[in-house]
Amino acid sequence: MAAARPGPLHREDPGLAERIARSAAAVRGLVPSVGEVLTWLERRRHEVPFAVDRIPLDGLDGWSFEERTGNLRHRSGRFFTVEGLTAGTGDADVPGATWQQPIICQLEIGILGILAKEFDGVLHFLMQAKMEPGNPNLLQLSPTVQATRSNYTKVHRGAAVRYLEHFTDPGRGTVLSDALQSEHGSWFYRKRNRNMIVEVDGEVPPHEDFRWLTLGQISALLHRDHTVNMDARSVLAGLPGRHRPRALLPDTELLSWLTGMRALHPVRAERVPLATVPGWVRDETAIRHEDGRYFQVVARSVKAGNREVGHWTQPLFEPCGEGVVGFLTRRIGGVPHLLAGARAEGGFRDAELGPTVQCTPGNHAHLPAGRRPPFLDLVQDPDPSRVRYRARHSEEGGRFLNAVSRYLVVEADESEAPLDPPPGFRWVSHGQLTALARHSHYVNVQARTLLACLNAMSAGSEGEGWGLSP
């Protein structure tokens, strides 16, 4: 006879939010100070040899353009391919609703995982000093594990991924968060990674490339340019916050609105041969748009002393200009709210909640003011007294070269951002966005970065993020 099921249990660990808050309030831990974390990162930057060199496209070792399609792929058939995409949203007959571009196709699901463990009653997180060829400063703070399936199944015949077993073997720890999340829908075709945080209580072997940090220390680092990488920001956004029940829109109404936006503006996408994509040209060094906008596909040779493979070559997407990503924020009924947009991107399955503004301004400079992204001026050139958060962060350095955006949170008023916003936007409470980020395909990667930064802002405060209860 089967064993009887236990009685009703808590849906979530009732003490987890308070443990997270204690960690967020702790600026000292196993590493005594944030300054020592920065010293360690700088030391690893100098101790481990890194080199990223520009090479022509035909200098890619193991990569080639298919004769029939023009697609760029690896000889193993793994890792990723660069293909063409015909994409659109909503009505295909509307001018500008359909476009063509190169796209990265990486359909395998990777693991982005952070280990957590209590030391002296304070939750710490195991962060890695990881080199990625596309980062402006090469080495940044990364998750414990950041690996594609090709990497951790050793297609590259490299070394094993440290600590991987904690995320692939059930029962090795307590899962604090776990969700499949999208990545940049403008550059990836339906890319998803498994974002995980797993708490352990046993011994974890130390390594010089890893340090246990408190959330308070990570929060301080999130205020610095180019220090915490995109994958770490995404995973940290999955931590639960301390939610207040009030919001301008009930949860059901918010989700119904997003579902309606998905129905009205479905994402239409078809992979096509790269050679057939109009408006894009290939020369010895890059695949680029004929107008010099958007991005280009370039090649780099990489040497890294602490990666699973010491030397490789690869293509990278390089944006043509710095991006701007920002939330407008208001207190509504005393509760912090963010103006979120329904973002339908060519590489997505469906629209997801994104920031108020998410663009590369240079791509829109030729357009009249009425056709530029809504609220761009408010976020791009804000009154300094209204800026609640500002930092430059780079995007996924394993696929994108010097992909840098200014991330901002800017306070607005009724005249600039009314309670009844334009179509495609809704006011979402900080708590609602935090709750949705713990589930798949609701909050895009740029909004997850800003959510992690907002939670960092509330560390030790009475906010809705990682702060202590009032």
Side-chain angles (χ1 to χ4, degrees):
M1 181 180 295
R5 287 182 175 272
L9 302 173
H10 291 291
R11 292 174 59 198
E12 287 193 353
D13 177 357
L16 179 57
E18 290 301 316
R19 292 200 298 138
I20 289 171
R22 285 197 300 273
S23 180
V27 293
R28 299 180 65 84
L30 288 187
V31 180
S33 69
V34 171
E36 293 196 37
V37 179
L38 294 171
T39 298
W40 163 66
L41 287 172
E42 192 62 26
R43 187 175 70 247
R44 296 308 289 162
R45 188 173 286 115
H46 290 290
E47 288 176 347
V48 182
F50 301 126
V52 180
D53 297 313
R54 182 186 298 268
I55 59 173
L57 291 173
D58 64 8
L60 288 166
D61 180 25
W63 296 82
S64 61
F65 290 96
E66 289 184 333
E67 183 175 348
R68 182 175 59 87
T69 65
N71 293 346
L72 181 58
R73 69 173 59 245
H74 193 262
R75 63 186 168 211
S76 67
R78 301 288 294 276
F79 300 113
F80 62 93
T81 58
V82 179
E83 305 180 16
L85 186 75
T86 296
T89 60
D91 189 345
D93 296 327
V94 175
T98 301
W99 66 92
Q100 295 81 34
Q101 66 170 90
I103 197 85
I104 297 173
C105 295
Q106 185 175 331
L107 300 183
E108 62 183 30
I109 295 173
I111 292 177
L112 308 178
I114 297 178
L115 282 183
K117 183 179 178 180
E118 278 198 358
F119 295 91
D120 297 325
V122 177
L123 205 57
H124 286 60
F125 299 83
L126 188 60
M127 308 301 290
Q128 178 182 182
K130 188 179 182 71
M131 176 272 185
E132 293 177 287
N135 289 341
N137 56 347
L138 293 183
L139 186 139
Q140 296 184 16
L141 204 63
S142 309
T144 316
V145 167
Q146 178 183 317
T148 66
R149 184 171 180 81
S150 291
N151 289 146
Y152 67 76
T153 56
K154 301 184 183 180
V155 171
H156 51 33
R157 299 184 178 90
V161 176
R162 288 186 178 87
Y163 312 119
L164 176 68
E165 64 277 7
H166 293 283
F167 303 96
T168 57
D169 299 349
R172 293 189 69 105
T174 301
V175 175
L176 303 185
S177 69
D178 191 355
L180 289 178
Q181 298 289 14
S182 67
E183 295 201 3
H184 299 76
S186 295
W187 298 329
F188 278 123
Y189 178 76
R190 298 189 176 178
K191 169 78 180 298
R192 297 183 297 167
N193 274 325
R194 190 175 181 184
N195 286 224
M196 303 179 70
I197 301 177
V198 175
E199 184 177 2
V200 295
D201 55 15
E203 290 299 315
V204 177
H207 188 275
E208 184 54 31
D209 285 331
F210 297 79
R211 288 291 186 272
W212 290 101
L213 305 181
T214 69
L215 268 183
Q217 293 170 326
I218 297 170
S219 296
L221 296 168
L222 280 167
H223 285 78
R224 301 180 63 90
D225 294 350
H226 306 308
T227 302
V228 181
N229 84 350
M230 185 215 79
D231 296 303
R233 302 189 306 261
S234 177
V235 176
L236 291 167
L239 281 171
R242 181 176 51 79
H243 311 319
R244 295 177 181 175
R246 292 183 298 147
L248 179 64
L249 297 180
D251 291 354
T252 301
E253 186 176 338
L254 174 63
L255 291 174
S256 178
W257 168 77
L258 180 60
T259 301
M261 293 299 296
R262 289 171 168 177
L264 286 171
H265 304 282
V267 177
R268 297 175 283 101
E270 179 185 3
R271 294 158 65 184
V272 298
L274 181 60
T276 67
V277 176
W280 292 81
V281 296
R282 187 177 107 201
D283 59 26
E284 292 182 357
T285 61
I287 302 168
R288 56 173 59 91
H289 194 267
E290 59 190 9
D291 292 338
R293 296 200 299 269
Y294 310 119
F295 60 88
Q296 57 182 357
V297 185
V298 298
R300 293 294 183 268
S301 172
V302 185
K303 294 180 181 178
N306 65 346
R307 292 291 296 265
E308 293 84 9
V309 172
H311 175 254
W312 71 94
T313 64
Q314 68 169 96
L316 291 158
F317 276 32
E318 183 177 25
C320 299
E322 185 175 84
V324 173
V325 179
F327 270 127
L328 293 181
T329 183
R330 290 182 60 183
R331 280 191 171 269
I332 302 173
V335 177
H337 280 68
L338 306 162
L339 187 58
R343 299 282 171 187
E345 301 176 22
F348 282 174
R349 287 172 166 78
D350 284 304
E352 299 184 10
L353 293 174
T356 317
V357 171
Q358 173 190 312
C359 71
T360 301
N363 292 339
H364 306 277
H366 65 292
L367 298 174
R371 293 182 56 196
R372 295 174 190 168
F375 307 107
L376 175 58
D377 290 343
L378 284 175
V379 174
Q380 185 179 9
D381 188 23
D383 179 343
S385 68
R386 294 188 174 192
V387 176
R388 300 294 171 257
Y389 176 86
R390 186 201 309 261
R392 279 180 167 83
H393 293 300
S394 45
E395 307 302 336
E396 213 272 73
R399 297 292 177 265
F400 311 135
L401 178 66
N402 297 324
V404 175
S405 291
R406 286 192 299 138
Y407 278 84
L408 303 103
V409 178
V410 179
E411 189 171 336
D413 59 29
E414 175 65 22
S415 65
E416 299 162 327
L419 291 184
D420 185 13
F425 294 88
R426 284 295 184 272
W427 288 103
V428 181
S429 77
H430 184 173
Q432 284 176 316
L433 198 67
T434 298
L436 289 172
R438 288 174 59 74
H439 301 278
S440 303
H441 308 310
Y442 280 114
V443 181
N444 78 358
V445 68
Q446 290 91 344
R448 295 198 303 272
T449 276
L450 280 172
L451 182 59
C453 297
L454 281 162
N455 289 339
M457 289 167 58
S458 73
S461 73
E462 297 180 3
E464 289 195 327
W466 299 330
L468 292 163
S469 297

